[in-house]
Amino acid sequence: FRNVTGVQTCALPILNRSVLVSDDGSFRAAITFGPKKVGAQVELHFELLKPKSITNGRITFVPNDVNVESIEVPIEGSPRYGFGPDQGFVFPASGTWTVTITGTGPNGELPSIGMQFVVRNQDGSEPEPASATTDVATTRLTVPDTTEAANSSTG
């Protein structure tokens, strides 16, 4: 009902689906999430492909370019897990992020699997590259909607 398109189930295009596989092949999962934009409610869908069960599962979203908190989503229940945008989280800052999936399989700890992706600015534009300096102001946590303006005012 709250979705602009009026679709209640997975409204994410299948093109956003990523299958992640560990180097040894013991852990495979599909993940679909979006929109990848600052301030938008994120819809998330997870499907465990291998092994058949997982405990202590966790999907973690970590920002690479900015100093904001990571987002952790516990994977509960069956091999399929997810929630719509009305239950979702928001990305507080644009830039490159890494999503990592961890858990324990029937034979013990699974190797982590993950990938990098880009979160766009609130207006949908591409984020500016991170500054070469490592001493970037950390005020972005308190003003995530003005990340682009904060970067241009410090340069």
Side-chain angles (χ1 to χ4, degrees):
F1 180 71
R2 293 171 59 182
N3 190 319
V4 176
T5 63
V7 176
Q8 291 299 313
T9 58
C10 182
L12 299 172
I14 196 70
L15 298 175
N16 285 331
R17 184 175 193 257
S18 298
V19 175
L20 307 175
V21 182
S22 64
D23 289 339
D24 67 0
S26 66
F27 191 15
R28 289 184 65 221
I31 186 170
T32 306
F33 61 96
K36 298 172 182 111
K37 186 169 95 171
V38 170
Q41 288 290 119
V42 176
E43 179 175 344
L44 171 74
H45 297 276
F46 167 84
E47 181 181 1
L48 181 63
L49 303 172
K50 186 178 181 183
K52 293 183 183 205
S53 64
I54 187 173
T55 57
N56 302 317
R58 186 162 309 279
I59 302 171
T60 307
F61 296 89
V62 180
N64 297 4
D65 303 333
V66 293
N67 187 16
V68 297
E69 290 187 27
S70 299
I71 300 164
E72 291 190 349
V73 179
I75 304 167
E76 311 260 342
S78 72
R80 291 179 186 258
Y81 178 76
F83 48 79
D86 56 331
Q87 301 167 320
F89 58 89
V90 298
F91 288 113
S94 60
T96 302
W97 286 64
T98 300
V99 59
T100 305
I101 305 172
T102 57
T104 305
N107 298 323
E109 185 92 9
L110 294 167
S112 64
I113 53 178
M115 67 176 194
Q116 290 189 342
F117 63 96
V118 173
V119 174
R120 293 178 173 269
N121 295 317
Q122 192 169 19
D123 65 2
S125 63
E126 288 283 335
E128 291 185 23
S131 172
T133 12
T134 56
D135 197 20
V136 176
T138 57
T139 54
R140 289 185 236 180
L141 179 60
T142 58
V143 288
D145 294 343
T146 59
T147 308
E148 191 172 340
N151 285 339
S152 63
S153 65
T154 59

